[in-house]
Amino acid sequence: MSASSAVNAMKKVVQQLRFEASINRVKVSQAAAELQQFCLQNAHHDPLLTGVSSSTNPFRPQKVCSFL
Amino acid sequence: MGELEQLRQEAELLKKQIEEARKGVADTTLAELTSGIEVVGRVQMKTRRTLRGHLAKIYALHWSTDSRLMVSASQDGKLIVWDTYTTNKVNAIPLRSSWVMTCAYAPSGNFVACGGLDNMCSIYNLKTRDGNVKVSRELTAHSGYLSCCRFLNDNEIITSSGDTTCAVWDIETGTQKTVFMGHTGDCMSLAVSPDLNLFISGACDWSAKLWDLRDGNCRQTFIGHESDINAICFFPSGNAICTGSDDATCKLYDLRSDQELTSYSQESIICGITSISMSRSGRMILAGYDDFNCNIWDTLKAERIGECSSEPGHSDLIMEPLSILLFQVWTDCSLPPLLLSGVLAGHDNRVSCIGVNEDGMAAATGSWDSFLKIWN
């Protein structure tokens, strides 16, 4: 890498870091509380978490149908 | 002082500034915040379906948005589209290159895509008029392997590559609309935000980056891992991300507070994570490891709560559909078949990929033993 392209590359790195440094950050207490709230509020919509009853499980053991 | 040296120093200062800003909003920890809730009870998932048909290691799987169909990619040179309810193969697509590393299902269900060491992303039309699946586009421009791809819609796909870039493509024209540069190591994995405006990438430079699809900028960079990040996914609200790394840990990073909230690790776990997915409420993290297992973590309490268990040495030969009995023949064939009930057989080989479907009803794992399993 030539000297000038190294400088240009580094300029981009610095520019990106300036951008990332300038963002607004929310307090962890608020952000994490909202993650927790999302989990708890959606718990009953989470079949892997609550378990699935045989009758509602599309993956229950396959039964063979017989003609009567 | 030379300009380069000046810039380097400015970069170091900015990094310290970011570190200070992150500490500045760290007014509590996830552990403190969740101290009032209980750990999720022990989870033991059972294999509900075994999908047999591939002849070599499975490298990738991706659920259709209908939570029923799924595409898998194997180095036997095939993509297979499965009906996971019935285990029927809907499509078996021969690939031009067998060195496949990733596959994706379009949200519409009309297309699948794959790619790998051929450095290309190939798009396949599943809904042609004559019923034959055909390559509809080959997206070439990456100078490194294709590690991951995800459709935004029928005409746009995002790719991540060993050439350290990610890209959004216009499939119709076969060109890259935006190239996302910034990683300094191979990009290994990507995930799209629920609102489709952002995506995240994990790379061999040990960092994860959040990218804005609208303006092409990297918004945030998450550090902390001590080795390559192989797997990445969004928390279902879109406000956090989860990563899995060769450093044997998974991490949860919050996007709005711009920092790591917690790490998921145990002293006894020393091997890398190859794949990661979250349950529908975000309460569980399912992570596939190099030691054959898939560990399940309580996201909020950072404790291990279960696994899709694996018993090395067993071969799951027959699953009698009408019966709850499981026949197993020991790999040492001198023993007669043993009748066992309630035994859970897992993968004999490294779990290479995992995915929870959209309705949250099941987790799928794919393995180097050529099988895919559906668990719940």
Side-chain angles (χ1 to χ4, degrees):
Chain A
M1 192 190 257
S2 72
S4 63
S5 60
V7 164
N8 284 336
M10 207 57 214
K11 276 187 182 160
K12 281 192 189 141
V13 169
V14 166
Q15 187 183 29
Q16 178 61 34
L17 283 168
R18 274 197 205 127
F19 180 79
E20 289 182 23
S22 71
I23 65 164
N24 278 327
R25 292 173 179 80
V26 167
K27 285 201 193 299
V28 169
S29 54
Q30 185 191 337
E34 288 176 27
L35 290 184
Q36 176 177 274
Q37 189 176 41
F38 186 92
C39 285
L40 299 177
Q41 276 178 349
N42 289 286
H44 51 281
H45 289 311
D46 190 342
L48 289 179
L49 182 66
T50 58
V52 200
S53 71
S54 248
S55 52
T56 53
N57 187 358
F59 299 103
R60 63 186 167 279
Q62 292 168 287
K63 290 194 166 67
V64 173
C65 295
S66 52
F67 289 93
L68 299 173
Chain B
M1 190 190 309
E3 195 180 0
L4 190 61
E5 187 50 37
Q6 244 179 328
L7 288 166
R8 279 206 189 105
Q9 287 195 1
E10 190 176 353
E12 287 313 303
L13 264 170
L14 285 163
K15 283 181 191 166
K16 286 206 179 80
Q17 211 179 302
I18 291 170
E19 197 46 45
E20 288 306 311
R22 284 171 172 162
K23 287 202 180 105
V25 295
D27 56 346
T28 186
T29 64
L30 186 67
E32 270 174 52
L33 196 97
T34 61
S35 58
I37 61 169
E38 291 295 309
V39 181
V40 169
R42 178 124 187 102
V43 171
Q44 191 70 46
M45 301 211 284
K46 298 190 166 93
T47 302
R48 301 293 179 189
R49 298 285 186 271
T50 300
L51 308 177
R52 298 180 177 85
H54 280 299
L55 303 172
K57 300 172 181 176
I58 311 280
Y59 271 79
L61 66 85
H62 194 217
W63 285 97
S64 169
T65 50
D66 70 0
S67 297
R68 175 171 178 162
L69 299 179
M70 185 175 77
V71 63
S72 61
S74 162
Q75 290 205 345
D76 63 4
K78 291 227 167 41
L79 285 185
I80 299 182
V81 177
W82 309 85
D83 177 337
T84 59
Y85 287 10
T86 62
T87 75
N88 289 340
K89 299 176 192 45
V90 179
N91 301 103
I93 307 165
L95 304 175
R96 290 179 189 175
S97 162
S98 64
W99 304 113
V100 64
M101 295 174 68
T102 182
C103 61
Y105 220 125
S108 64
N110 294 330
F111 296 91
V112 290
C114 68
L117 295 182
D118 58 358
N119 298 2
M120 290 193 319
C121 183
S122 301
I123 314 289
Y124 293 85
N125 187 347
L126 297 177
K127 306 284 171 77
T128 57
R129 268 193 224 120
D130 63 6
N132 292 324
V133 175
K134 277 202 289 268
V135 178
S136 73
R137 278 295 179 274
E138 283 176 334
L139 307 175
T140 59
H142 279 302
S143 54
Y145 59 85
L146 203 84
S147 53
C148 194
C149 57
R150 286 292 178 259
F151 283 91
L152 287 171
N153 51 59
D154 280 0
N155 197 44
E156 289 174 308
I157 191 165
I158 311 179
T159 56
S160 62
S161 171
D163 68 11
T164 76
T165 71
C166 298
V168 180
W169 303 73
D170 179 313
I171 295 174
E172 179 63 38
T173 62
T175 57
Q176 292 180 323
K177 287 166 73 157
T178 316
V179 180
F180 299 87
M181 292 182 285
H183 277 300
T184 55
D186 299 13
C187 293
M188 297 303 292
S189 184
L190 74 94
V192 185
S193 68
D195 69 6
L196 305 180
N197 288 325
L198 308 165
F199 77 95
I200 45 176
S201 59
C204 292
D205 61 9
W206 306 2
S207 78
K209 284 180 181 288
L210 176 72
W211 307 90
D212 192 320
L213 281 165
R214 293 159 298 190
D215 59 28
N217 288 329
C218 170
R219 281 222 198 143
Q220 291 166 255
T221 302
F222 300 95
I223 57 175
H225 275 299
E226 292 167 351
S227 188
D228 302 354
I229 296 176
N230 299 315
I232 199 163
C233 69
F234 267 95
F235 182 86
S237 71
N239 287 328
I241 67 173
C242 199
T243 52
S245 167
D246 273 345
D247 69 7
T249 75
C250 300
K251 288 183 187 293
L252 183 73
Y253 294 95
D254 185 276
L255 299 186
R256 296 183 313 145
S257 57
D258 186 42
Q259 58 192 272
E260 177 184 331
L261 290 186
T262 194
S263 198
Y264 305 91
S265 63
Q266 258 179 6
E267 262 184 57
S268 55
I269 299 173
I270 54 169
C271 57
I273 289 96
T274 57
S275 50
I276 202 161
S277 196
M278 294 186 100
S279 72
R280 195 158 172 236
S281 67
R283 187 62 193 269
M284 301 197 298
I285 295 167
L286 291 83
Y289 289 71
D290 267 336
D291 67 353
F292 319 149
N293 282 315
C294 164
N295 286 319
I296 308 174
W297 298 87
D298 179 330
T299 309
L300 299 177
K301 301 294 283 182
E303 286 184 38
R304 200 167 71 96
I305 54 175
E307 62 265 312
C308 307
S309 73
S310 174
E311 296 168 6
H314 295 295
S315 241
D316 176 10
L317 278 194
I318 309 161
M319 178 77 97
E320 240 282 322
L322 286 176
S323 164
I324 57 163
L325 297 175
L326 197 73
F327 285 81
Q328 279 191 330
V329 173
W330 295 94
T331 49
D332 167 10
C333 291
S334 63
L335 293 174
L338 298 174
L339 235 72
L340 297 161
S341 61
V343 173
L344 310 172
H347 287 294
D348 284 345
N349 253 303
R350 183 180 154 190
V351 172
S352 59
C353 47
I354 190 163
V356 174
N357 59 7
E358 198 165 292
D359 65 10
M361 205 48 89
T365 54
S367 168
W368 283 21
D369 68 8
S370 84
F371 299 145
L372 295 119
K373 289 184 192 284
I374 310 294
W375 311 76
N376 65 16

